[in-house]
Amino acid sequence: MKPFNHDIGGYAFLGLLVATVWAIPLAAFLHRDAHGNAMELPRCDEARSLDQVREALDAQSGQTVLGLYDATELRRGAIGDYRRCIATVVTTAGEAQIGFAIGWHDRRNAIPFWTGDGLPPSLPDRANH
């Protein structure tokens, strides 16, 4: 029978070192979408972003949104956790600039959220421009 080895600390350190070396690439691999690309928030001008914003404006304002265009990113979070955007909205009452943001609801499962400032209380009349 072999004697018990008292160098458990050395083996524990080696085990943690190996686990760490394997965990970093594994974490990077798991933080990717189904196509192997790093997960990224939808862009401000993507169709699904504009659809989400348009649906929210229709629901909250009671006005019909005729168009939403010229979406531009103003700011992005340092680690890609949000985008701040502006766009031009055209409704039956007129045209205005609106702001909205895109962020992660569940980053691990690639589920974003959209939130916005809403329509201004009174849109300028297009006939006066």
Side-chain angles (χ1 to χ4, degrees), residues 1-115:
M1 188 159 136
K2 285 186 166 185
F4 181 72
N5 189 346
H6 294 286
D7 197 19
I8 294 174
Y11 289 122
F13 175 75
L14 182 61
L16 286 173
L17 182 64
V18 169
T20 303
V21 168
W22 281 95
I24 292 171
L26 181 62
F29 174 75
L30 293 176
H31 191 66
R32 297 182 178 276
D33 64 12
H35 303 289
N37 301 323
M39 287 190 290
E40 189 172 313
L41 283 169
R43 291 186 327 269
C44 298
D45 60 352
E46 275 186 32
R48 73 175 173 160
S49 294
L50 296 177
D51 287 344
Q52 290 286 337
V53 172
R54 180 186 316 227
E55 288 174 15
L57 291 172
D58 275 338
Q60 68 99 38
S61 70
Q63 298 181 39
T64 302
V65 175
L66 303 173
L68 187 63
Y69 64 94
D70 199 24
T72 307
E73 183 176 300
L74 296 176
R75 191 175 333 124
R76 183 185 317 190
I79 59 173
D81 56 341
Y82 73 92
R83 294 180 193 268
R84 184 76 182 134
C85 315
I86 60 166
T88 302
V89 62
V90 179
T91 68
T92 52
E95 189 172 302
Q97 292 282 318
I98 58 156
F100 63 96
I102 307 167
W104 287 117
H105 174 70
D106 183 351
R107 186 178 198 141
R108 185 172 189 190
N109 293 311
I111 301 172
F113 73 85
W114 290 263
T115 185

